[in-house]
Amino acid sequence: MAKTNPPFMSGVPELLILRLLGRQEMYGYELVRAVRVISNDAFDLAEGVVYPVLHGLEKKKFLKAKRKSIAGRNRVYYTVTVKGKKRMSELSGEWERVKGGIDSALGEQHG
Amino acid sequence: MGKNQLAQLSSTLLQGGVAYKHVRRFIAELRDHSVDLEQEAVRNGSDTSAARDEAMTRLGDPELLVQEMLERPELKSYGRRFPFLLVLMPVLSYILFGLILVLFVVGLVLIFHSGALEEGEIIRPSDFLIEAISVIRIDFLYLLPIILIYFLMSYAIKNHIALKYYGFGLLLLCLLSSSVYLNLIWPDPANAIRGSIDVSINLSRWDFDPGFFMRFAACVLFAVGLKQFITQRMQREFE
C-alpha cells in the first residue's frame, strides 16, 4: 500500500523538539537556544511559537511537563514520554524518506 | 512583553476557546522567556530599553502567537468544544455524588451492624454512626450544591463559557438541590421500628414550602456572588 505523506514541513519543529527533549529535559528558552545551536541558526522563528508546539505535544501525551523552581525562577520543564519516543521514530522515518526523495530528485537534476 | 500585552493576549486566547490551564501556563512561560531574552541582550551589551525591545522582537508578534495557539484544536477547553455538557453536568454530578453518599451510608451501616441485619434484629445504631450519617445528610443537602457550584462556575468563567450554558445548568442544579429531601428514620427497638433512608424530590411542595424557597434563593445568591468574585480574581491574575 502506498504511504501517505504527512504535512512533513509542519512536522519539522515537532521532530526537532522531540529529538532535543529526548536527550535531556529543558524549559522553553533553553530549548530554543538548543534549536539555534543544533541547526546553526537555520530557523529564524519567533521564539514564543515554541510554546504552542510544546503544549500541543504535551496534550497528545508525547511530552510531560513538570514545574521546577531553580535559583528563584519557577520554570516548566518538558521531557519526552514513551509515546513521544515512538512518535519521534515515526517522524524520523518519514523525514528520512522525504529527504531521500528530495536528494534523489536533486541528484537527478544536477547529474 | 509588557503586562498590558500579556493581559490582552490572555483575554484573546480565552475568548478564542483555549483552555484556561494552557493560557495561564503560556502567559507565565512567555513572561519568563522574555526575562531570559532581556538578560541575554544585557549580557551582550544592550541597555535595558534596547534589551526589552529586542526581547519583544525575538519573542514574536502577539498576533502570531495567538494564531499559533488558536490553530491547535487540542488546546481548546472541553467546555468550549461541548458547551451543552455544562447544562447537564451540574445536575448529573449532584445525582452521582448523592448516590455515592447514599452508598457510603449503606456501607457504614453494613460495617457497624452487619450482624444485626443478618439476624433481622432491630438495634439502636451506635452514637458514632448517628453522628456520621447526620453529617453526611447535611453535606448532601447543603454543602454538595455549594461545592458543585464553586467548581462548575470556576471552570465556566475561567474558560469563557457562555452564560446561557452554565447559567441554565446551575439553575437546574439549584432547583434540584433545593427540592431534594433526605429523611432518616433511626431504628427504634422499643417500638419495633426499622430504620430507613428516604430520598425524595418534593416538587409538589414548591408552592408552600418555605424551606425550598430559602434553599433556592441561597443557592442562586451564592452563585451570583461567586461569579463576581471569580471574575474579579481572573482580571487580577493576568494583569
Side-chain angles (χ1 to χ4, degrees):
Chain A
M1 199 167 76
K3 277 190 178 179
T4 55
N5 268 342
F8 61 87
M9 278 313 287
S10 64
V12 171
E14 196 181 333
L15 176 58
L16 267 175
I17 286 172
L18 288 172
R19 186 159 285 256
L20 287 166
L21 292 176
R23 291 179 191 166
Q24 65 170 96
E25 62 172 13
M26 286 187 235
Y27 57 92
Y29 172 74
E30 214 176 1
L31 179 65
V32 173
R33 282 185 64 179
V35 170
R36 284 186 186 280
V37 170
I38 206 171
S39 67
N40 292 321
D41 272 330
F43 303 103
D44 188 22
L45 295 170
E47 295 191 15
V49 164
V50 76
Y51 297 107
V53 182
L54 287 169
H55 286 219
L57 289 171
E58 189 214 359
K59 191 76 189 172
K60 289 173 185 165
K61 312 258 186 255
F62 296 146
L63 295 180
K64 215 169 106 182
K66 198 163 58 177
R67 272 186 194 281
K68 274 189 187 178
S69 189
I70 293 172
R73 300 280 294 272
N74 193 11
R75 301 185 191 276
V76 180
Y77 281 78
Y78 293 90
T79 181
V80 178
T81 61
V82 175
K83 200 178 167 192
K85 283 179 182 156
K86 277 187 199 161
R87 175 70 178 153
M88 187 172 66
S89 342
E90 279 170 23
L91 283 172
S92 298
E94 286 294 337
W95 178 250
E96 287 302 328
R97 200 164 63 81
V98 170
K99 188 171 159 276
I102 291 172
D103 284 346
S104 160
L106 289 175
E108 199 173 280
Q109 213 173 35
H110 294 298
Chain B
M1 202 171 264
K3 279 183 181 177
N4 288 343
Q5 268 182 310
L6 288 174
Q8 179 62 42
L9 194 69
S10 64
S11 171
T12 315
L13 290 172
L14 288 168
Q15 277 165 19
V18 178
Y20 170 77
K21 66 171 186 175
H22 285 293
V23 174
R24 193 178 165 190
R25 200 167 85 202
F26 183 49
I27 296 298
E29 285 174 323
L30 285 180
R31 196 183 284 137
D32 214 44
H33 198 123
S34 180
V35 171
D36 283 326
L37 289 173
E38 277 181 47
Q39 287 174 349
E40 186 188 319
V42 168
R43 276 198 306 273
N44 292 338
S46 302
D47 61 41
T48 319
S49 168
R52 198 173 300 132
D53 290 344
E54 193 185 323
M56 277 187 66
T57 311
R58 280 178 61 182
L59 214 47
D61 184 45
E63 276 183 31
L64 171 74
L65 300 178
V66 165
Q67 189 191 328
E68 287 289 329
M69 285 294 274
L70 294 181
E71 271 176 6
R72 294 173 185 277
E74 68 270 22
L75 301 183
K76 298 265 164 83
S77 67
Y78 287 107
R80 285 296 287 268
R81 276 188 272 177
F82 316 107
F84 284 102
L85 283 180
L86 280 139
V87 177
L88 294 174
M89 195 67 92
V91 167
L92 291 178
S93 309
Y94 184 72
I95 294 169
L96 181 71
F97 280 109
L99 283 173
I100 291 170
L101 285 179
V102 168
L103 286 175
F104 188 66
V105 168
V106 172
L108 278 179
V109 172
L110 287 174
I111 289 167
F112 281 87
H113 299 295
S114 59
L117 284 172
E118 273 172 27
E119 290 165 17
E121 192 186 345
I122 300 172
I123 55 158
R124 191 183 141 69
S126 64
D127 288 344
F128 170 77
L129 196 62
I130 291 177
E131 281 297 316
I133 293 176
S134 301
V135 169
I136 291 170
R137 178 178 176 270
I138 290 168
D139 287 348
F140 175 63
L141 291 178
Y142 306 107
L143 204 60
L144 184 59
I146 288 173
I147 292 170
L148 286 176
I149 290 171
Y150 176 78
F151 279 108
L152 288 156
M153 199 162 250
S154 297
Y155 177 81
I157 294 172
K158 284 175 178 175
N159 287 287
H160 278 228
I161 314 285
L163 177 66
K164 62 181 174 185
Y165 296 113
Y166 75 89
F168 192 57
L170 289 172
L171 195 68
L172 286 177
L173 173 65
C174 286
L175 277 173
L176 177 68
S177 62
S178 309
S179 58
V180 161
Y181 284 82
L182 201 161
N183 295 315
L184 299 167
I185 297 169
W186 300 111
D188 182 1
N191 297 309
I193 295 171
R194 289 184 177 278
S196 67
I197 302 170
D198 171 29
V199 186
S200 59
I201 300 171
N202 293 324
L203 297 173
S204 59
R205 290 167 59 175
W206 282 11
D207 290 341
F208 53 87
D209 181 14
F212 163 76
F213 288 108
M214 293 272 285
R215 285 160 70 186
F216 182 70
C219 192
V220 172
L221 281 174
F222 175 71
V224 171
L226 191 65
K227 183 176 184 299
Q228 287 291 107
F229 173 73
I230 297 171
T231 310
Q232 282 173 5
R233 209 179 60 178
M234 277 273 293
Q235 280 168 352
R236 280 201 300 271
E237 191 176 346
F238 289 115
E239 272 173 9

